[in-house]
Amino acid sequence: MVQLHSAPKLLALCFFLILVNFYIAEAGVRHYKWEVKYDFRSPDCYKKLVITINGKSPGPTIEAQEGDTVIVEVNNSLLTENLAIHWHGIRQIGTPWFDGTEGVSQCPILPGDTFVYQFVVDRPGTYLYHAHYGMQREAGLYGMIRVASKDPEPFSYDFDRSIILNDWYHKSTYEQSAGLSSIPFQWVGEPQSLLIHGKGRFNCSSLTADVCNSTNPQCSPFVQTVVTGKTYRIRVASLSALSALSFQIEGHNMTVVEADGHYVEPFVVKNLYIYSGETYSVLVKANQDPSRNYWITSNVVSRNRTTPPGLAIFNYYPNHPMRSPPTTPPPPPAWDNVESRLIQSLTIKAHPNYTIKPPTTSDRVIVMLNTQNTIDGVRHWSVNNVSFFLPHTPYLVALKENINGVFNQRPPPDGYDFNNYDILSVANNTNATSSNGIYRLQFNTTVDVILQNANTMNKNNSETHPWHLHGHDFWVLGYGKGKFDVNNDPKNYNLVNPISKNTVPVHPFGWTALRFRSDNPGVWAFHCHIESHFYMGMGVVFEEGIDRVGKLPSSIMGCGKTKNLLRP
Ligand SMILES: *[C@@H]1O[C@H](CO)[C@@H](O)[C@H](O)[C@H]1NC(C)=O
Ligand SMILES: *[C@@H]1O[C@H](CO)[C@@H](O)[C@H](O)[C@H]1NC(C)=O
Ligand SMILES: *[C@@H]1O[C@H](CO)[C@@H](O)[C@H](O)[C@H]1NC(C)=O
Ligand SMILES: *[C@@H]1O[C@H](CO)[C@@H](O)[C@H](O)[C@H]1NC(C)=O
Ligand SMILES: *[C@@H]1O[C@H](CO)[C@@H](O)[C@H](O)[C@H]1NC(C)=O
Ligand SMILES: *[C@@H]1O[C@H](CO)[C@@H](O)[C@H](O)[C@H]1NC(C)=O
Ligand SMILES: *[C@@H]1O[C@H](CO)[C@@H](O)[C@H](O)[C@H]1NC(C)=O
Ligand SMILES: *[C@@H]1O[C@H](CO)[C@@H](O)[C@H](O)[C@H]1NC(C)=O
Ligand SMILES: *[C@@H]1O[C@H](CO)[C@@H](O)[C@H](O)[C@H]1NC(C)=O
Ligand SMILES: *[C@@H]1O[C@H](CO)[C@@H](O)[C@H](O)[C@H]1NC(C)=O
Ligand SMILES: *[C@@H]1O[C@H](CO)[C@@H](O)[C@H](O)[C@H]1NC(C)=O
Ligand SMILES: [Cu+2]
């Protein structure tokens, strides 16, 4: 029922919509209606509750052309669970309120509510979307955004395909997150399966068929059919909860041509290392013996793997798509071969014809020490000794509308004790703090972030963390081993052809240097893309140009202290 007092509003909305439609008539509008709900699914043969979009996980692919406006009407039918969806890699220029990050850019979408996301996909490339509320992404709410270029691309191919990689747990996200906040702490452990485009295979032999049914068609392997002589662009993305992955197509090389929506100077790999939140396009030529099929594999790297490989089939037409390759799947690289992963990171450079030069100097340098700590007996991840947690009122609304008492006004430190902190020894900072304080950046300045890895609270252990920045791309200026030297390492930065990305790994016991311009008014999360690490505090938030943010839509409000704003 339309209430009387909202009639003028409705009229205004109609005019607004007409204007919007007129304004964007040049570019296209891609309109999607999604129903998000729980369904029983068996992606690796094991039956569990999975969050689906219109019945699917991975969800529908958003297909658009650069400059298009994407409108997604999300209907939250999860019944007892909130929801928020993040558009990963889309910078949301002018629409920071549609970034979809609960606690940062919006209040959660309540069960039964419909929320309309509307944003422009301003650049071609391969992007993602996924839940950004609690550890909800792991329950299956994820998919791909493919934005076609208006201009010719610097490579050619016959067919354009997608593969999303993921790891998969049998426990619910609730069991996992409760374990992570428990005393004693209960780690989520290694995933049960690796999924290739939503399909995997768990060994059901010790379970009954009503729980784990190995003949369920939902867990028949993913098949990529190819025709001899043709070249395939495969957009490979990872939305793993924990695992760094190595992706291979048996007997075939892959030429990497795109990373996180940017063309790269092409390079050839046998196995592609890919970290959660990254996207790549690879070109694969179907040039092998066509009388058989080949394995597509995904394997855990950077952790002492216990999860069996993810397997799919690279099917040469007209062989039967389900015919198993006659070989054993190719072996993955050693899980602890940091060197080969570092080499691949260092190899990725901007394509010579698409290089965006970074500013040669920066206005501010923030060094972020990545360690663990314990707070009140619970294990956390921390940045410069501070573990992050989200407020109940989104920062964007609190800052724009000057709502007090939402978050700690004290900003987190810009660095750590460089001289005295030994990154190689076991972290023993039991006295760390947690905070929801944020970094406030001067608008339109150049900011460097140095991710400094260190030993965890376990002996001889440092993990790989894929860091993802919302609202921006950053230039990747360098990677190094050991402790970053603030005085000397910047001299070796790549200022000539650094790749722009939105997600980047910091390798074990190493560092990664990034640069970006604080030129997108809004409030943006920057966090480890490992679901449990962010949950355990591994993230920060940047504010820039809040005074330039336009009028916030009331649809992002309704929680915490934003409720006051909705009262007439
Ligand atoms: C949400 O989707 C369901 C199923 O399509 C439909 O019955 C319901 O009316 C929708 N709710 C809203 C608010 O659009
Ligand atoms: C599945 O597990 C059973 C029992 O542990 C084992 O005997 C069998 O070899 C396993 N199957 C596969 C395909 O790994
Ligand atoms: C297992 O899956 C097969 C194929 O879908 C089906 O015929 C069979 O009934 C299932 N078994 C159980 C116990 O659900
Ligand atoms: C893959 O690339 C390597 C190194 O460039 C080369 O030696 C090998 O022959 C290539 N393999 C195939 C199947 O093209
Ligand atoms: C990795 O796991 C295997 C099997 O559990 C174990 O034997 C090995 O010692 C582990 N390696 C390291 C470096 O922890
Ligand atoms: C860059 O563009 C020029 C002019 O279009 C073209 O000749 C050249 O091959 C391109 N370089 C690469 C590496 O694609
Ligand atoms: C973190 O805390 C530990 C132990 O309390 C201390 O030794 C270390 O200097 C602190 N580091 C920073 C960056 O404050
Ligand atoms: C932890 O404490 C020990 C003993 O006090 C010290 O030797 C070591 O350097 C500390 N580790 C870190 C990372 O500060
Ligand atoms: C932790 O803090 C308490 C109180 O501030 C202090 O007494 C204690 O020495 C600190 N411990 C460490 C390891 O820094
Ligand atoms: C941001 O800085 C750049 C370079 O200094 C300048 O060209 C641009 O006009 C500035 N933009 C705004 C909105 O101030
Ligand atoms: C430390 O861990 C690495 C794996 O990350 C392993 O290869 C190495 O042998 C370990 N060193 C010691 C001294 O335990
Ligand atoms: Cu992490």
Side-chain angles (χ1 to χ4, degrees), residues 207-267:
L207 297 163
T208 56
D210 56 331
V211 178
C212 193
N213 185 348
S214 55
T215 56
N216 188 328
Q218 285 175 21
C219 59
S220 63
F222 173 76
V223 176
Q224 177 58 64
T225 299
V226 298
V227 173
T228 299
K230 300 290 183 196
T231 298
Y232 292 78
R233 174 189 194 165
I234 304 181
R235 299 171 191 251
V236 187
S238 171
L239 278 171
S240 64
L242 173 68
S243 315
L245 298 170
S246 165
F247 175 78
Q248 283 173 255
I249 302 175
E250 182 189 12
H252 294 73
N253 284 336
M254 298 179 274
T255 303
V256 180
V257 293
E258 183 212 348
D260 291 7
H262 294 274
Y263 300 128
V264 307
E265 194 176 323
F267 64 97

Side-chain angles (χ1 to χ4, degrees), residues 361-396:
T361 56
S362 69
D363 301 304
R364 182 173 176 183
V365 180
I366 303 174
V367 185
M368 297 188 180
L369 178 72
N370 289 213
T371 51
Q372 291 180 322
N373 59 40
T374 343
I375 300 171
D376 299 333
V378 178
R379 179 73 59 94
H380 290 269
W381 284 95
S382 65
V383 172
N384 297 339
N385 267 8
V386 180
S387 292
F388 177 77
F389 64 93
L390 284 165
H392 294 295
T393 300
Y395 291 105
L396 181 63

Side-chain angles (χ1 to χ4, degrees), residues 412-426:
D414 271 18
Y416 69 104
D417 186 353
F418 302 116
N419 295 326
N420 298 314
Y421 193 89
D422 178 8
I423 64 155
L424 300 177
S425 67
V426 173

